[in-house]
Amino acid sequence: MSGRRLPSGGLIDRSKPIAFRFDGMPLVGLPGDTIASALIANDVLLAGRSFKLHRPRGFFGGGYDDGIMVERVAPRAATNQLATVTPLEPGGDYRSVSTWPNARFDLGAVYGLFGRLLPAGFYYKTFMLPTFRLFEPFIRRAAGLGRVPEAAWEPVSEARFGDCDVLVAGGGAAGLSAALTAGRSGAHVILVDDGASLGGRMITDAIDDGGWRAHVQAELASMPNVRIMPSSTVWGYHEHNLLTVIERHPADAADLDFRHWKLRARQVIVAAGAFERGIAFASNDRPGIMLASAVRTFINRFGVLPGQRAVVFTNNASAYGTALDLARNGAAVTLVDSRAEAPPEDMASLKAAGVELIFGAQVTEAHGSGRIKAVDVAVGTQTRRLPCDLLALSGGWNPAFHLASQTRQTRSVWHDELHSFVAAHEAGDFHIAGAARGLFSASEAAADGIRASGEALGRIGIKPHLPVAPDLPDPFVARKVAPLWFVPPKRQSAKLFVDFSGDVTTADLGLALREGYDSIELVKRYTTAGMGVDQGKSGNVNVIAIVGAMTGQATDQVGTTTFRPPFVPIEFGAMAGQRSRERLYPWRHTPLTDWHISAGAVMYEAGLRWQRPGYYPQAGEGWQAAASREARAVRHGVGVYDGSPLGKFQLRGPDVPALLNLLYLSDFSKLAPRRGKYGVMLSDDGLVMDDGVVFRLDETRWLLHSSTGAADRVYGHLEQILQIHRPDWTVSVLPITTQWANATLCGPKARDVLAALNPDFDVSNTALPFMSLVEGRVGDIPVRVCRVSWTGELSFELNTPARYAEALWQRVMAAGEAFGITPVGSEANHILRVEAGYISTGHEVDGTSDAIDLGLGALISKSKPDFLGKRSMEIRRRHDPERIELVGFMPLSPTALVPEGAPITPNGELTDQEGFVSASVMSVVHQRAICLGLLRNGQARMGTVVHARVRDKVIPMTVVPPVFHDADRARVKS
Amino acid sequence: MTTPRYAATISRLPRLALFEARGRAEALEAALRMAGLPWPATFNTIAAQDAVEVARIGPKRVLIMAPAEQEDGLLAALERAFSANIAADFVMLSDSFAAFSVDGDDAEPILRQGAPLNLSIQAFPPGAIAGTELWATTALIARSPTQHPSFHVLVEASYAGYIESWLACANGMASPNRPGTMIRPPASLNP
């Protein structure tokens, strides 16, 4: 093992070395390592390049407060893996992102020469001529985010909902004691921690807890009411205690990479700890400069000593522990404390360990390129240069306020001793405990976890069983911080970084302020400070304080920015779970799907998730030829289509006639049993919602049809009327769409086929006229036959309970064989209905037209006083008399099939449109392209020429009436 | 995977005799009692009598479920009971629903992948039934009153393939169903 691995310590398995590669270098790590700890163990501190200037960068934080991403070439190629939290894998092949050829010798470093041209917001004011788009690809490519590999890893992820009484976010001293309290009290508890092992700072700071942590962990594991989720992170708080949690490599499902939870918790306790922050000084981004807490993490969790000759620069007591850990593990340590003095008890142990202490001093500049070699330390008026290979830095601690901020129920307030923001109060069912509340000692945190848990349990009526708070030795706690945000540089050109992820310097902050972005929210957006990979975990408060210093405001007067989910980087694939490809959206099948597929149908969605046969191609046929052949069969012979998805509702009750009369334009009060009537319904705003035929089944029951795509909308509309507007009406509405399958015979020979089926009822036009209904049998199959048409031909809708669907269809095909029956898909149906001039939801009924616009004004009853939408329609027509009306179009070129949706503009110019093409087909009747569409003042413009604009051409069309076939409906009624 | 991820068995059940009745609660209760059927005491619970189960799934909505062979008998009884009761109505929906059973210790984790409803034994005890979202569709989920842990899932029959695919996938198995081609013909200026 190479030089930086300690001989003992850390939560790693030293018995099974792991070979891996980074930027082509063969290296060795250990199980339990992250990529970062393994690299440091191999003395690789330069692990990437900065986002904008391609400056050499190393690890600054020890977890989610760091921003070094790597590309994983193998196994499972993926980019942007956060090195400080991604476990090392056997055979792992990693490379730095956006570097060439590698992080050590990156040609992109040339951008640093032009650093003065790349200040904050440079892309708003440079590269503008001739157009920014010319430069954008190069800028994006140069920016420090990795590219997705060609064969990118697709994680196996499961999305799951969950519920619990108490969710505890964070498994340190506060979280463990909170979970223990709730668990012992019998609550259903979920404990989430982002570490592979519970303990938080108790592990990283090697706190001697006398076995308390192991004991609590074992007790929690033994409780059936407690679920422990290690390697997991609560990444978002949403309304009403809904939390989003990413669980990595769940222990109970070996094949899963992630499980993504949406958890509804009755009570939430956030014990997420705190993030250490840095101090800005000249060249403070050199590899080898780390947060003091990161150094302890590498030493105590991973058994890695990041440097042999270390300087610790601090303004508070917590970094004394880091100095002690470094010294105890063999490093030569100098501690530079910006404070004038420290308590004697803090100094004593350090002196005993041989640590040199310098008080009232500040690190002014770091030296070195690929890694730190020395720092300049100002002591009074003197400057000392201290050689070093590691600088551990502590500017104080920021309680993890992120989830509390996301609740929008509490605000942050300034803490005068911690010099940081803490939550002003706990909010309702949301509690904060431990370091996240500014209580940094382990004992205080544990006691606070018990308090928070007790309060949470009380709110949900569970009697708390409070454990005794443990006494956890924790000598170096940042109870008082001497604020130090940045050290003024001696050189004007020096760069003092405040946000490593976005390459944001103090100079950028000054520039933003000089350019007038004086709100902290604007400074954030202009400079991108806090918007990078680490989302400002270590730098945000520094940015706020430095802006305060630059503007002469106290830090707490500057304001804060808003934390939003996600708290940590989350793979999109993890969130999606297995909702992709065929499971991206729900899909529905009719009972005839197997038949359609066996007949070679091309199936796709055609309304409300229904997978329907689009067309049945024969050998060598494309979709247009197949659809035309099927449509011709209906015009000249007979076809049959699967109309099962049509919306159907059974209505019963004494107030059904009143409901129908409110719902539709027409008067339904005199509809006789076994007869049907076409109706159009409007929404409240007077625009057409849907159309369909209503049949009266008998004296007490009605059958209401909606269009396929509007079935759910119509059902909701009916229920809204009955539940909210007219709860006094007695009407039962029963959706029966999928109970009934439908085979619709259509074409001049449709009656012949129906007769050939030997039904037990009369199929003559006298006995079964247009808009009538009969119930009977075809052999042993019960059928309900409706005489309606949507094709412009004689049609019979044969409805049967779904269990008989395939048998009925087979019989229809057998009986129709002698008549040349052809199965018809939705493409042919579209041709037929456009020729017949029938409107369709989603085409002509697009939510902008009223009934008169669509040529259906004759349906408006003069015998009833009102219907839903009448007043709105009349008002709109009064105020906007120039209506966009339904018309037909004939392209001057008979082969010009205009794309549906094509805008119509005056003379085809690039200007406001005066209408659009709603449907466009190649007519089998006219052997040419025809269209339906909506055109301003369309009815008055018959015979004129209008122009459709499509991409690279303008198509002239003649305005014609919107019925191209059987205008008097003689064939429909035959 | 070729082996299930969880300890659960997923089965598609044979067609049930299934009726839905709607109307004012007092009218529904009167009709069901006239038909000789039990009336659940509370919402979202199932009352069973012999092999017939009646579930109140809303203020004005009940489901009557039984083995398929009882369909004709139930139909006749319900027709008699509702014929004089115009304030309520019923309809046969045996063809309209597909039923699945999800049995085993891990039945709940499988269903919770699609259902936001809390299915824990405390919140959803044996004999409970409720409508919920299930993988972006609506479904009825019932916890078996006699067998634990076992859930029945009722979905609209048209979604049966989709839900069956999800249930298999949720247990780490290959999807048994696929939708159509999902491809529409391209729009073109000239055919």
Side-chain angles (χ1 to χ4, degrees), chain A residues 788-807:
Chain A
V788 292
S789 176
W790 204 55
T791 57
E793 297 294 337
L794 169 67
S795 295
F796 299 90
E797 288 185 356
L798 277 61
N799 297 280
T800 189
R803 76 191 75 170
Y804 301 110
E806 191 151 349

Side-chain angles (χ1 to χ4, degrees), chain A residues 281-343:
Chain A
F281 55 85
S283 301
N284 59 332
D285 64 333
R286 296 300 182 206
I289 298 177
M290 295 182 191
L291 290 170
S293 57
V295 171
R296 295 191 91 175
T297 298
F298 290 121
I299 292 172
N300 296 316
R301 188 183 276 269
F302 300 107
V304 172
L305 187 67
Q308 293 284 352
R309 189 164 189 162
V311 172
V312 178
F313 178 28
T314 185
N315 62 352
N316 67 87
S318 68
Y320 281 50
T322 305
L324 200 55
D325 283 348
L326 283 163
R328 284 174 175 165
N329 284 287
V333 185
T334 301
L335 187 140
V336 177
D337 194 331
S338 66
R339 300 175 298 176
E341 58 181 4

Side-chain angles (χ1 to χ4, degrees), chain A residues 645-665:
Chain A
L646 194 68
K648 308 174 211 51
F649 304 90
Q650 180 173 299
L651 276 54
R652 192 187 193 207
D655 297 308
V656 172
L659 173 66
L660 295 176
N661 276 345
L662 178 66
L663 206 59
Y664 288 107
L665 307 179

Side-chain angles (χ1 to χ4, degrees), chain A residues 156 158-163 253 255-256 259 578-579 582-583 585-589 602-604 610-611 623-624 650 652-654 700-701 715 719 727-730 732-736 738-739 801-803 827 895-897 899 922 950 953 955, chain B residues 1 5-6 15 20 22-24 71 82-83 85-96 109 112-116 118 135-137 156 158-159 161-162 165-166 169-170 175 177-191:
Chain A
V156 181
E158 172 187 294
R160 194 195 283 189
F161 295 94
D163 294 85
D255 64 317
L256 287 181
R259 181 179 286 136
Q578 296 178 65
R579 193 169 177 176
E582 68 265 28
R583 286 178 300 278
Y585 296 113
W587 39 268
R588 312 171 77 175
H589 278 160
V602 177
M603 308 282 289
Y604 46 82
W610 286 97
Q611 292 285 317
W623 75 270
Q624 181 71 68
Q650 180 173 299
R652 192 187 193 207
T700 64
R701 288 187 173 92
Y715 180 39
E719 287 295 339
D728 54 317
W729 281 355
T730 300
S732 305
V733 180
L734 284 153
I736 54 171
T738 45
Q739 174 65 21
R803 76 191 75 170
E827 293 301 328
T895 59
L897 196 55
M922 189 56 63
V950 273
K953 64 170 77 172
I955 302 174
Chain B
M1 282 184 79
R5 185 179 296 144
Y6 296 108
R15 184 165 47 82
E20 180 172 347
R22 293 198 186 193
R24 297 191 188 282
E71 186 177 83
F82 280 88
S83 61
N85 194 341
I86 199 171
D89 195 12
F90 84 100
V91 70
M92 184 170 77
L93 291 179
S94 306
D95 302 73
S96 205
R112 290 310 302 274
Q113 291 177 48
N118 186 349
W135 288 297
T137 68
E156 198 178 276
S158 58
Y159 288 115
Y162 169 77
S165 171
W166 257 116
C169 180
S175 168
N177 295 299
R178 297 185 72 81
T181 60
M182 307 290 283
I183 298 165
R184 296 211 66 167
S188 64
L189 285 180
N190 300 303

Side-chain angles (χ1 to χ4, degrees), chain A residues 7-89:
Chain A
S8 62
L11 304 177
I12 45 174
D13 179 359
R14 293 166 189 273
S15 66
K16 299 170 187 164
I18 291 175
F20 73 103
R21 299 174 76 85
F22 178 75
D23 274 353
M25 294 182 288
L27 304 169
V28 177
L30 295 172
D33 264 332
T34 59
I35 297 170
S37 68
L39 288 175
I40 295 172
N42 286 276
D43 206 22
V44 177
L45 265 67
L46 201 172
R49 291 278 169 164
S50 71
F51 179 72
K52 197 163 66 179
L53 304 174
H54 281 241
R55 288 168 67 96
R57 287 282 164 81
F59 303 106
F60 184 67
Y64 285 107
D65 50 355
D66 192 63
I68 294 288
M69 307 290 238
V70 298
E71 179 181 338
R72 187 172 60 210
V73 181
R76 305 185 309 283
T79 194
N80 294 342
Q81 302 291 298
L82 190 59
T84 46
V85 299
T86 305
L88 184 73
E89 294 180 78

Side-chain angles (χ1 to χ4, degrees), chain A residues 331-491:
Chain A
V333 185
T334 301
L335 187 140
V336 177
D337 194 331
S338 66
R339 300 175 298 176
E341 58 181 4
E345 62 271 21
D346 286 359
M347 292 189 286
S349 54
L350 267 67
K351 284 179 178 172
V355 175
E356 180 191 6
L357 297 168
I358 306 174
F359 287 98
Q362 297 175 349
V363 171
T364 55
E365 184 163 7
H367 299 282
S369 177
R371 71 184 304 162
I372 189 168
K373 290 182 176 160
V375 291
D376 288 345
V377 176
V379 189
T381 57
Q382 303 293 312
T383 298
R384 281 176 63 187
R385 179 160 295 187
L386 300 179
C388 62
D389 60 0
L390 173 70
L391 175 64
L393 199 56
S394 180
W397 292 78
N398 303 329
F401 181 69
H402 305 69
L403 285 175
S405 172
Q406 291 170 24
T407 67
R408 304 289 193 268
Q409 295 174 47
T410 185
R411 61 190 175 82
S412 58
V413 293
W414 186 250
H415 193 296
D416 283 331
E417 293 188 338
L418 301 179
H419 285 276
S420 192
F421 292 98
V422 297
H425 54 83
E426 294 173 277
D429 299 327
F430 186 93
H431 312 264
I432 308 170
R437 209 163 69 91
L439 299 168
F440 293 147
S441 91
S443 292
E444 287 173 342
D448 199 44
I450 295 169
R451 171 205 60 82
S453 194
E455 290 177 9
L457 293 167
R459 288 186 65 86
I460 52 176
I462 297 177
K463 185 181 178 186
H465 295 274
L466 303 179
V468 176
D471 184 17
L472 304 169
D474 193 5
F476 303 114
V477 177
R479 287 197 174 86
K480 286 190 177 180
V481 172
L484 178 61
W485 309 106
F486 70 104
V487 180
K490 292 180 179 171
R491 295 181 294 111

